[in-house]
Amino acid sequence: MSINEEIKRRFVRLSKGQRKVAQFVMNNPSAVIGNGAAEVGRQANVSESTVIRFCYAMDLSGYVELQDEIRGYLMTQNDELSPQPTYSSSKGNTSSFGKVMQRDIQNIQDTIHLINDHMLQKSSKWMHEADNVYILGTRQAASIANWLSSTLTTLRPNVKQLRSESDDIVQQINSMGERTTLIVFSWDKHSNDIQTIVEIAKKKKARIIAITCSALSSFREYASALFTLGMKKQSALDVIPVLFSFLHALIEEMVSQDKAQYEKYQQSYEQVENNLLFLDAAREKQVF
């Protein structure tokens, strides 16, 4: 039985406040996935404790399990409602690389329904308005953090990739404040490596955008916005195309805040890069 069917079955036995939560959950599943219990309570006009009691009334262990149930329900709905894609070759004749790419397409389509659009727009606004944007990711996520940092550098100033082994890491953390946006990638079991940095950023009132592969991420209590892109059935390789598609969408949403400004900065950045290449070429000629 799906979570929606279970809610409807138990609805009459819920308290007045819990019924408000139940109605909100059924009408706004993406909001539940993308927000904590306190925010859902605020939007449903009840207390956070009422949201938690609703979870218990549904025989769930807590709010995280409610999010997992809703995520699974949306995945099922998407599988049932989405038309099967058509390809020029028959399924049996599709090449091995074609099957992989088809799976990537399906994973991206599934994820679209799990992302809170309002939260994505809010996150992109934080990135746009921030004086400084810091990117943090270690181990498996380091290369992703590097890509995002390099991409954002071509679009706006004051973008830095945080590296725990860097000599100026303390200085960078101390420079954080209310107009700082920190984007954190937590993609493996070694999140403790960067836990301290995230905790300090939270105390300094920085906006923290956490992108994880699990709703149980330890960063959920510090995040201003949490995006869970991984599913239990997906391998790490399955998540990578979804992640880059999501980051592309996040960047495009940021650029839409003031497209002319970003185009002007990008042109200026490219001009500086071209001048540096010219100088390098000139130096090489002098050497020879």
Side-chain angles (χ1 to χ4, degrees), residues 16-22 24 37-52 54:
K16 184 177 180 180
Q18 290 170 5
R19 288 180 185 180
K20 287 184 178 181
V21 179
F24 182 87
E39 177 60 21
V40 166
R42 188 189 69 79
Q43 293 186 36
N45 200 27
V46 299
S47 66
E48 179 180 3
S49 60
T50 299
V51 176
I52 301 302
F54 165 77

mmCIF file with all atom_site columns, all heavy atoms in Angstrom, residues 16-22 24 37-52 54:
data_model
loop_
_atom_site.group_PDB
_atom_site.id
_atom_site.type_symbol
_atom_site.label_atom_id
_atom_site.label_alt_id
_atom_site.label_comp_id
_atom_site.label_asym_id
_atom_site.label_entity_id
_atom_site.label_seq_id
_atom_site.pdbx_PDB_ins_code
_atom_site.Cartn_x
_atom_site.Cartn_y
_atom_site.Cartn_z
_atom_site.occupancy
_atom_site.B_iso_or_equiv
_atom_site.pdbx_formal_charge
_atom_site.auth_seq_id
_atom_site.auth_comp_id
_atom_site.auth_asym_id
_atom_site.auth_atom_id
_atom_site.pdbx_PDB_model_num
ATOM 1   N N   . LYS A 1 16 ? -6.896  16.826 14.623 1.00 0.00 ? 16 LYS A N   1
ATOM 2   C CA  . LYS A 1 16 ? -7.137  17.948 13.725 1.00 0.00 ? 16 LYS A CA  1
ATOM 3   C C   . LYS A 1 16 ? -5.829  18.478 13.135 1.00 0.00 ? 16 LYS A C   1
ATOM 4   O O   . LYS A 1 16 ? -5.734  18.744 11.930 1.00 0.00 ? 16 LYS A O   1
ATOM 5   C CB  . LYS A 1 16 ? -7.861  19.061 14.482 1.00 0.00 ? 16 LYS A CB  1
ATOM 6   C CG  . LYS A 1 16 ? -8.260  20.249 13.611 1.00 0.00 ? 16 LYS A CG  1
ATOM 7   C CD  . LYS A 1 16 ? -9.031  21.285 14.419 1.00 0.00 ? 16 LYS A CD  1
ATOM 8   C CE  . LYS A 1 16 ? -9.419  22.476 13.538 1.00 0.00 ? 16 LYS A CE  1
ATOM 9   N NZ  . LYS A 1 16 ? -10.172 23.501 14.318 1.00 0.00 ? 16 LYS A NZ  1
ATOM 10  N N   . GLY A 1 17 ? -4.812  18.629 13.984 1.00 0.00 ? 17 GLY A N   1
ATOM 11  C CA  . GLY A 1 17 ? -3.522  19.117 13.504 1.00 0.00 ? 17 GLY A CA  1
ATOM 12  C C   . GLY A 1 17 ? -2.852  18.129 12.572 1.00 0.00 ? 17 GLY A C   1
ATOM 13  O O   . GLY A 1 17 ? -2.263  18.514 11.556 1.00 0.00 ? 17 GLY A O   1
ATOM 14  N N   . GLN A 1 18 ? -2.950  16.849 12.900 1.00 0.00 ? 18 GLN A N   1
ATOM 15  C CA  . GLN A 1 18 ? -2.343  15.817 12.056 1.00 0.00 ? 18 GLN A CA  1
ATOM 16  C C   . GLN A 1 18 ? -3.024  15.724 10.705 1.00 0.00 ? 18 GLN A C   1
ATOM 17  O O   . GLN A 1 18 ? -2.394  15.408 9.701  1.00 0.00 ? 18 GLN A O   1
ATOM 18  C CB  . GLN A 1 18 ? -2.392  14.469 12.782 1.00 0.00 ? 18 GLN A CB  1
ATOM 19  C CG  . GLN A 1 18 ? -1.467  14.380 13.986 1.00 0.00 ? 18 GLN A CG  1
ATOM 20  C CD  . GLN A 1 18 ? -1.703  13.143 14.831 1.00 0.00 ? 18 GLN A CD  1
ATOM 21  O OE1 . GLN A 1 18 ? -2.514  12.283 14.479 1.00 0.00 ? 18 GLN A OE1 1
ATOM 22  N NE2 . GLN A 1 18 ? -1.017  13.049 15.966 1.00 0.00 ? 18 GLN A NE2 1
ATOM 23  N N   . ARG A 1 19 ? -4.324  16.034 10.671 1.00 0.00 ? 19 ARG A N   1
ATOM 24  C CA  . ARG A 1 19 ? -5.032  16.038 9.391  1.00 0.00 ? 19 ARG A CA  1
ATOM 25  C C   . ARG A 1 19 ? -4.509  17.160 8.488  1.00 0.00 ? 19 ARG A C   1
ATOM 26  O O   . ARG A 1 19 ? -4.435  16.999 7.265  1.00 0.00 ? 19 ARG A O   1
ATOM 27  C CB  . ARG A 1 19 ? -6.535  16.210 9.616  1.00 0.00 ? 19 ARG A CB  1
ATOM 28  C CG  . ARG A 1 19 ? -7.218  14.979 10.210 1.00 0.00 ? 19 ARG A CG  1
ATOM 29  C CD  . ARG A 1 19 ? -8.697  15.218 10.401 1.00 0.00 ? 19 ARG A CD  1
ATOM 30  N NE  . ARG A 1 19 ? -9.316  14.069 11.081 1.00 0.00 ? 19 ARG A NE  1
ATOM 31  C CZ  . ARG A 1 19 ? -10.615 14.002 11.378 1.00 0.00 ? 19 ARG A CZ  1
ATOM 32  N NH1 . ARG A 1 19 ? -11.426 15.011 11.079 1.00 0.00 ? 19 ARG A NH1 1
ATOM 33  N NH2 . ARG A 1 19 ? -11.091 12.924 11.986 1.00 0.00 ? 19 ARG A NH2 1
ATOM 34  N N   . LYS A 1 20 ? -4.140  18.275 9.086  1.00 0.00 ? 20 LYS A N   1
ATOM 35  C CA  . LYS A 1 20 ? -3.544  19.363 8.295  1.00 0.00 ? 20 LYS A CA  1
ATOM 36  C C   . LYS A 1 20 ? -2.230  18.899 7.674  1.00 0.00 ? 20 LYS A C   1
ATOM 37  O O   . LYS A 1 20 ? -1.942  19.191 6.506  1.00 0.00 ? 20 LYS A O   1
ATOM 38  C CB  . LYS A 1 20 ? -3.287  20.584 9.184  1.00 0.00 ? 20 LYS A CB  1
ATOM 39  C CG  . LYS A 1 20 ? -4.529  21.351 9.588  1.00 0.00 ? 20 LYS A CG  1
ATOM 40  C CD  . LYS A 1 20 ? -4.137  22.606 10.380 1.00 0.00 ? 20 LYS A CD  1
ATOM 41  C CE  . LYS A 1 20 ? -5.352  23.423 10.768 1.00 0.00 ? 20 LYS A CE  1
ATOM 42  N NZ  . LYS A 1 20 ? -4.970  24.651 11.506 1.00 0.00 ? 20 LYS A NZ  1
ATOM 43  N N   . VAL A 1 21 ? -1.463  18.192 8.477  1.00 0.00 ? 21 VAL A N   1
ATOM 44  C CA  . VAL A 1 21 ? -0.191  17.660 7.969  1.00 0.00 ? 21 VAL A CA  1
ATOM 45  C C   . VAL A 1 21 ? -0.457  16.654 6.852  1.00 0.00 ? 21 VAL A C   1
ATOM 46  O O   . VAL A 1 21 ? 0.194   16.677 5.806  1.00 0.00 ? 21 VAL A O   1
ATOM 47  C CB  . VAL A 1 21 ? 0.624   16.984 9.091  1.00 0.00 ? 21 VAL A CB  1
ATOM 48  C CG1 . VAL A 1 21 ? 1.938   16.425 8.533  1.00 0.00 ? 21 VAL A CG1 1
ATOM 49  C CG2 . VAL A 1 21 ? 0.919   17.973 10.213 1.00 0.00 ? 21 VAL A CG2 1
ATOM 50  N N   . ALA A 1 22 ? -1.423  15.766 7.071  1.00 0.00 ? 22 ALA A N   1
ATOM 51  C CA  . ALA A 1 22 ? -1.760  14.742 6.076  1.00 0.00 ? 22 ALA A CA  1
ATOM 52  C C   . ALA A 1 22 ? -2.158  15.378 4.750  1.00 0.00 ? 22 ALA A C   1
ATOM 53  O O   . ALA A 1 22 ? -1.705  14.948 3.676  1.00 0.00 ? 22 ALA A O   1
ATOM 54  C CB  . ALA A 1 22 ? -2.889  13.858 6.610  1.00 0.00 ? 22 ALA A CB  1
ATOM 55  N N   . PHE A 1 24 ? -1.380  18.368 3.688  1.00 0.00 ? 24 PHE A N   1
ATOM 56  C CA  . PHE A 1 24 ? -0.221  19.040 3.112  1.00 0.00 ? 24 PHE A CA  1
ATOM 57  C C   . PHE A 1 24 ? 0.696   18.024 2.433  1.00 0.00 ? 24 PHE A C   1
ATOM 58  O O   . PHE A 1 24 ? 1.202   18.273 1.328  1.00 0.00 ? 24 PHE A O   1
ATOM 59  C CB  . PHE A 1 24 ? 0.547   19.785 4.202  1.00 0.00 ? 24 PHE A CB  1
ATOM 60  C CG  . PHE A 1 24 ? 1.733   20.552 3.677  1.00 0.00 ? 24 PHE A CG  1
ATOM 61  C CD1 . PHE A 1 24 ? 1.587   21.839 3.201  1.00 0.00 ? 24 PHE A CD1 1
ATOM 62  C CD2 . PHE A 1 24 ? 3.001   19.969 3.633  1.00 0.00 ? 24 PHE A CD2 1
ATOM 63  C CE1 . PHE A 1 24 ? 2.669   22.546 2.698  1.00 0.00 ? 24 PHE A CE1 1
ATOM 64  C CE2 . PHE A 1 24 ? 4.086   20.661 3.135  1.00 0.00 ? 24 PHE A CE2 1
ATOM 65  C CZ  . PHE A 1 24 ? 3.922   21.955 2.665  1.00 0.00 ? 24 PHE A CZ  1
ATOM 66  N N   . ALA A 1 37 ? 11.160  18.964 8.982  1.00 0.00 ? 37 ALA A N   1
ATOM 67  C CA  . ALA A 1 37 ? 9.858   18.889 9.644  1.00 0.00 ? 37 ALA A CA  1
ATOM 68  C C   . ALA A 1 37 ? 9.385   20.261 10.120 1.00 0.00 ? 37 ALA A C   1
ATOM 69  O O   . ALA A 1 37 ? 8.189   20.575 10.059 1.00 0.00 ? 37 ALA A O   1
ATOM 70  C CB  . ALA A 1 37 ? 9.945   17.926 10.829 1.00 0.00 ? 37 ALA A CB  1
ATOM 71  N N   . ALA A 1 38 ? 10.303  21.095 10.590 1.00 0.00 ? 38 ALA A N   1
ATOM 72  C CA  . ALA A 1 38 ? 9.932   22.417 11.089 1.00 0.00 ? 38 ALA A CA  1
ATOM 73  C C   . ALA A 1 38 ? 9.339   23.277 9.979  1.00 0.00 ? 38 ALA A C   1
ATOM 74  O O   . ALA A 1 38 ? 8.325   23.963 10.171 1.00 0.00 ? 38 ALA A O   1
ATOM 75  C CB  . ALA A 1 38 ? 11.144  23.102 11.702 1.00 0.00 ? 38 ALA A CB  1
ATOM 76  N N   . GLU A 1 39 ? 9.968   23.251 8.795  1.00 0.00 ? 39 GLU A N   1
ATOM 77  C CA  . GLU A 1 39 ? 9.481   24.057 7.676  1.00 0.00 ? 39 GLU A CA  1
ATOM 78  C C   . GLU A 1 39 ? 8.139   23.540 7.169  1.00 0.00 ? 39 GLU A C   1
ATOM 79  O O   . GLU A 1 39 ? 7.245   24.321 6.822  1.00 0.00 ? 39 GLU A O   1
ATOM 80  C CB  . GLU A 1 39 ? 10.513  24.057 6.547  1.00 0.00 ? 39 GLU A CB  1
ATOM 81  C CG  . GLU A 1 39 ? 10.082  24.800 5.288  1.00 0.00 ? 39 GLU A CG  1
ATOM 82  C CD  . GLU A 1 39 ? 9.781   26.277 5.515  1.00 0.00 ? 39 GLU A CD  1
ATOM 83  O OE1 . GLU A 1 39 ? 10.250  26.848 6.515  1.00 0.00 ? 39 GLU A OE1 1
ATOM 84  O OE2 . GLU A 1 39 ? 9.074   26.860 4.668  1.00 0.00 ? 39 GLU A OE2 1
ATOM 85  N N   . VAL A 1 40 ? 7.976   22.219 7.118  1.00 0.00 ? 40 VAL A N   1
ATOM 86  C CA  . VAL A 1 40 ? 6.694   21.642 6.700  1.00 0.00 ? 40 VAL A CA  1
ATOM 87  C C   . VAL A 1 40 ? 5.601   22.042 7.690  1.00 0.00 ? 40 VAL A C   1
ATOM 88  O O   . VAL A 1 40 ? 4.480   22.387 7.306  1.00 0.00 ? 40 VAL A O   1
ATOM 89  C CB  . VAL A 1 40 ? 6.793   20.103 6.589  1.00 0.00 ? 40 VAL A CB  1
ATOM 90  C CG1 . VAL A 1 40 ? 5.406   19.468 6.494  1.00 0.00 ? 40 VAL A CG1 1
ATOM 91  C CG2 . VAL A 1 40 ? 7.617   19.722 5.363  1.00 0.00 ? 40 VAL A CG2 1
ATOM 92  N N   . GLY A 1 41 ? 5.934   22.015 8.981  1.00 0.00 ? 41 GLY A N   1
ATOM 93  C CA  . GLY A 1 41 ? 4.969   22.448 9.987  1.00 0.00 ? 41 GLY A CA  1
ATOM 94  C C   . GLY A 1 41 ? 4.569   23.888 9.794  1.00 0.00 ? 41 GLY A C   1
ATOM 95  O O   . GLY A 1 41 ? 3.388   24.242 9.903  1.00 0.00 ? 41 GLY A O   1
ATOM 96  N N   . ARG A 1 42 ? 5.548   24.741 9.481  1.00 0.00 ? 42 ARG A N   1
ATOM 97  C CA  . ARG A 1 42 ? 5.254   26.163 9.260  1.00 0.00 ? 42 ARG A CA  1
ATOM 98  C C   . ARG A 1 42 ? 4.318   26.350 8.073  1.00 0.00 ? 42 ARG A C   1
ATOM 99  O O   . ARG A 1 42 ? 3.344   27.109 8.148  1.00 0.00 ? 42 ARG A O   1
ATOM 100 C CB  . ARG A 1 42 ? 6.557   26.930 9.021  1.00 0.00 ? 42 ARG A CB  1
ATOM 101 C CG  . ARG A 1 42 ? 6.387   28.448 8.964  1.00 0.00 ? 42 ARG A CG  1
ATOM 102 C CD  . ARG A 1 42 ? 7.667   29.135 8.512  1.00 0.00 ? 42 ARG A CD  1
ATOM 103 N NE  . ARG A 1 42 ? 7.959   28.847 7.114  1.00 0.00 ? 42 ARG A NE  1
ATOM 104 C CZ  . ARG A 1 42 ? 7.350   29.458 6.098  1.00 0.00 ? 42 ARG A CZ  1
ATOM 105 N NH1 . ARG A 1 42 ? 6.411   30.354 6.319  1.00 0.00 ? 42 ARG A NH1 1
ATOM 106 N NH2 . ARG A 1 42 ? 7.679   29.142 4.859  1.00 0.00 ? 42 ARG A NH2 1
ATOM 107 N N   . GLN A 1 43 ? 4.603   25.622 6.975  1.00 0.00 ? 43 GLN A N   1
ATOM 108 C CA  . GLN A 1 43 ? 3.776   25.764 5.781  1.00 0.00 ? 43 GLN A CA  1
ATOM 109 C C   . GLN A 1 43 ? 2.378   25.163 5.966  1.00 0.00 ? 43 GLN A C   1
ATOM 110 O O   . GLN A 1 43 ? 1.409   25.629 5.380  1.00 0.00 ? 43 GLN A O   1
ATOM 111 C CB  . GLN A 1 43 ? 4.468   25.103 4.587  1.00 0.00 ? 43 GLN A CB  1
ATOM 112 C CG  . GLN A 1 43 ? 5.743   25.804 4.153  1.00 0.00 ? 43 GLN A CG  1
ATOM 113 C CD  . GLN A 1 43 ? 6.329   25.228 2.879  1.00 0.00 ? 43 GLN A CD  1
ATOM 114 O OE1 . GLN A 1 43 ? 5.609   24.814 1.977  1.00 0.00 ? 43 GLN A OE1 1
ATOM 115 N NE2 . GLN A 1 43 ? 7.668   25.202 2.792  1.00 0.00 ? 43 GLN A NE2 1
ATOM 116 N N   . ALA A 1 44 ? 2.302   24.121 6.804  1.00 0.00 ? 44 ALA A N   1
ATOM 117 C CA  . ALA A 1 44 ? 1.002   23.491 7.069  1.00 0.00 ? 44 ALA A CA  1
ATOM 118 C C   . ALA A 1 44 ? 0.265   24.171 8.220  1.00 0.00 ? 44 ALA A C   1
ATOM 119 O O   . ALA A 1 44 ? -0.846  23.777 8.575  1.00 0.00 ? 44 ALA A O   1
ATOM 120 C CB  . ALA A 1 44 ? 1.204   22.009 7.395  1.00 0.00 ? 44 ALA A CB  1
ATOM 121 N N   . ASN A 1 45 ? 0.913   25.184 8.807  1.00 0.00 ? 45 ASN A N   1
ATOM 122 C CA  . ASN A 1 45 ? 0.328   25.955 9.909  1.00 0.00 ? 45 ASN A CA  1
ATOM 123 C C   . ASN A 1 45 ? 0.117   25.110 11.167 1.00 0.00 ? 45 ASN A C   1
ATOM 124 O O   . ASN A 1 45 ? -0.905  25.224 11.847 1.00 0.00 ? 45 ASN A O   1
ATOM 125 C CB  . ASN A 1 45 ? -0.993  26.599 9.481  1.00 0.00 ? 45 ASN A CB  1
ATOM 126 C CG  . ASN A 1 45 ? -1.388  27.762 10.373 1.00 0.00 ? 45 ASN A CG  1
ATOM 127 O OD1 . ASN A 1 45 ? -0.530  28.411 10.976 1.00 0.00 ? 45 ASN A OD1 1
ATOM 128 N ND2 . ASN A 1 45 ? -2.679  28.009 10.493 1.00 0.00 ? 45 ASN A ND2 1
ATOM 129 N N   . VAL A 1 46 ? 1.094   24.249 11.450 1.00 0.00 ? 46 VAL A N   1
ATOM 130 C CA  . VAL A 1 46 ? 1.084   23.456 12.681 1.00 0.00 ? 46 VAL A CA  1
ATOM 131 C C   . VAL A 1 46 ? 2.496   23.485 13.255 1.00 0.00 ? 46 VAL A C   1
ATOM 132 O O   . VAL A 1 46 ? 3.422   23.994 12.635 1.00 0.00 ? 46 VAL A O   1
ATOM 133 C CB  . VAL A 1 46 ? 0.644   21.992 12.432 1.00 0.00 ? 46 VAL A CB  1
ATOM 134 C CG1 . VAL A 1 46 ? -0.770  21.926 11.883 1.00 0.00 ? 46 VAL A CG1 1
ATOM 135 C CG2 . VAL A 1 46 ? 1.627   21.283 11.492 1.00 0.00 ? 46 VAL A CG2 1
ATOM 136 N N   . SER A 1 47 ? 2.683   22.911 14.429 1.00 0.00 ? 47 SER A N   1
ATOM 137 C CA  . SER A 1 47 ? 4.011   22.866 15.049 1.00 0.00 ? 47 SER A CA  1
ATOM 138 C C   . SER A 1 47 ? 4.841   21.721 14.480 1.00 0.00 ? 47 SER A C   1
ATOM 139 O O   . SER A 1 47 ? 4.298   20.778 13.881 1.00 0.00 ? 47 SER A O   1
ATOM 140 C CB  . SER A 1 47 ? 3.879   22.695 16.560 1.00 0.00 ? 47 SER A CB  1
ATOM 141 O OG  . SER A 1 47 ? 3.326   21.427 16.858 1.00 0.00 ? 47 SER A OG  1
ATOM 142 N N   . GLU A 1 48 ? 6.155   21.806 14.688 1.00 0.00 ? 48 GLU A N   1
ATOM 143 C CA  . GLU A 1 48 ? 7.041   20.728 14.247 1.00 0.00 ? 48 GLU A CA  1
ATOM 144 C C   . GLU A 1 48 ? 6.700   19.424 14.958 1.00 0.00 ? 48 GLU A C   1
ATOM 145 O O   . GLU A 1 48 ? 6.728   18.346 14.358 1.00 0.00 ? 48 GLU A O   1
ATOM 146 C CB  . GLU A 1 48 ? 8.495   21.097 14.521 1.00 0.00 ? 48 GLU A CB  1
ATOM 147 C CG  . GLU A 1 48 ? 9.503   20.032 14.111 1.00 0.00 ? 48 GLU A CG  1
ATOM 148 C CD  . GLU A 1 48 ? 10.931  20.416 14.402 1.00 0.00 ? 48 GLU A CD  1
ATOM 149 O OE1 . GLU A 1 48 ? 11.154  21.499 14.991 1.00 0.00 ? 48 GLU A OE1 1
ATOM 150 O OE2 . GLU A 1 48 ? 11.846  19.637 14.056 1.00 0.00 ? 48 GLU A OE2 1
ATOM 151 N N   . SER A 1 49 ? 6.351   19.524 16.228 1.00 0.00 ? 49 SER A N   1
ATOM 152 C CA  . SER A 1 49 ? 6.012   18.321 16.992 1.00 0.00 ? 49 SER A CA  1
ATOM 153 C C   . SER A 1 49 ? 4.770   17.634 16.430 1.00 0.00 ? 49 SER A C   1
ATOM 154 O O   . SER A 1 49 ? 4.659   16.401 16.468 1.00 0.00 ? 49 SER A O   1
ATOM 155 C CB  . SER A 1 49 ? 5.795   18.666 18.468 1.00 0.00 ? 49 SER A CB  1
ATOM 156 O OG  . SER A 1 49 ? 4.746   19.601 18.630 1.00 0.00 ? 49 SER A OG  1
ATOM 157 N N   . THR A 1 50 ? 3.840   18.419 15.869 1.00 0.00 ? 50 THR A N   1
ATOM 158 C CA  . THR A 1 50 ? 2.646   17.827 15.259 1.00 0.00 ? 50 THR A CA  1
ATOM 159 C C   . THR A 1 50 ? 3.029   17.018 14.022 1.00 0.00 ? 50 THR A C   1
ATOM 160 O O   . THR A 1 50 ? 2.466   15.953 13.764 1.00 0.00 ? 50 THR A O   1
ATOM 161 C CB  . THR A 1 50 ? 1.630   18.916 14.876 1.00 0.00 ? 50 THR A CB  1
ATOM 162 O OG1 . THR A 1 50 ? 1.229   19.612 16.057 1.00 0.00 ? 50 THR A OG1 1
ATOM 163 C CG2 . THR A 1 50 ? 0.389   18.315 14.211 1.00 0.00 ? 50 THR A CG2 1
ATOM 164 N N   . VAL A 1 51 ? 4.002   17.538 13.269 1.00 0.00 ? 51 VAL A N   1
ATOM 165 C CA  . VAL A 1 51 ? 4.487   16.817 12.080 1.00 0.00 ? 51 VAL A CA  1
ATOM 166 C C   . VAL A 1 51 ? 5.103   15.484 12.508 1.00 0.00 ? 51 VAL A C   1
ATOM 167 O O   . VAL A 1 51 ? 4.851   14.444 11.888 1.00 0.00 ? 51 VAL A O   1
ATOM 168 C CB  . VAL A 1 51 ? 5.525   17.661 11.313 1.00 0.00 ? 51 VAL A CB  1
ATOM 169 C CG1 . VAL A 1 51 ? 6.098   16.859 10.139 1.00 0.00 ? 51 VAL A CG1 1
ATOM 170 C CG2 . VAL A 1 51 ? 4.902   18.952 10.813 1.00 0.00 ? 51 VAL A CG2 1
ATOM 171 N N   . ILE A 1 52 ? 5.892   15.515 13.572 1.00 0.00 ? 52 ILE A N   1
ATOM 172 C CA  . ILE A 1 52 ? 6.531   14.289 14.061 1.00 0.00 ? 52 ILE A CA  1
ATOM 173 C C   . ILE A 1 52 ? 5.476   13.308 14.576 1.00 0.00 ? 52 ILE A C   1
ATOM 174 O O   . ILE A 1 52 ? 5.554   12.091 14.311 1.00 0.00 ? 52 ILE A O   1
ATOM 175 C CB  . ILE A 1 52 ? 7.545   14.604 15.173 1.00 0.00 ? 52 ILE A CB  1
ATOM 176 C CG1 . ILE A 1 52 ? 8.627   15.572 14.655 1.00 0.00 ? 52 ILE A CG1 1
ATOM 177 C CG2 . ILE A 1 52 ? 8.183   13.321 15.687 1.00 0.00 ? 52 ILE A CG2 1
ATOM 178 C CD1 . ILE A 1 52 ? 9.388   15.080 13.454 1.00 0.00 ? 52 ILE A CD1 1
ATOM 179 N N   . PHE A 1 54 ? 2.473   13.081 13.576 1.00 0.00 ? 54 PHE A N   1
ATOM 180 C CA  . PHE A 1 54 ? 1.813   12.538 12.388 1.00 0.00 ? 54 PHE A CA  1
ATOM 181 C C   . PHE A 1 54 ? 2.595   11.333 11.862 1.00 0.00 ? 54 PHE A C   1
ATOM 182 O O   . PHE A 1 54 ? 2.011   10.316 11.492 1.00 0.00 ? 54 PHE A O   1
ATOM 183 C CB  . PHE A 1 54 ? 1.698   13.611 11.303 1.00 0.00 ? 54 PHE A CB  1
ATOM 184 C CG  . PHE A 1 54 ? 1.369   13.065 9.935  1.00 0.00 ? 54 PHE A CG  1
ATOM 185 C CD1 . PHE A 1 54 ? 0.081   12.664 9.623  1.00 0.00 ? 54 PHE A CD1 1
ATOM 186 C CD2 . PHE A 1 54 ? 2.363   12.932 8.973  1.00 0.00 ? 54 PHE A CD2 1
ATOM 187 C CE1 . PHE A 1 54 ? -0.215  12.139 8.365  1.00 0.00 ? 54 PHE A CE1 1
ATOM 188 C CE2 . PHE A 1 54 ? 2.080   12.420 7.724  1.00 0.00 ? 54 PHE A CE2 1
ATOM 189 C CZ  . PHE A 1 54 ? 0.777   12.018 7.422  1.00 0.00 ? 54 PHE A CZ  1
#
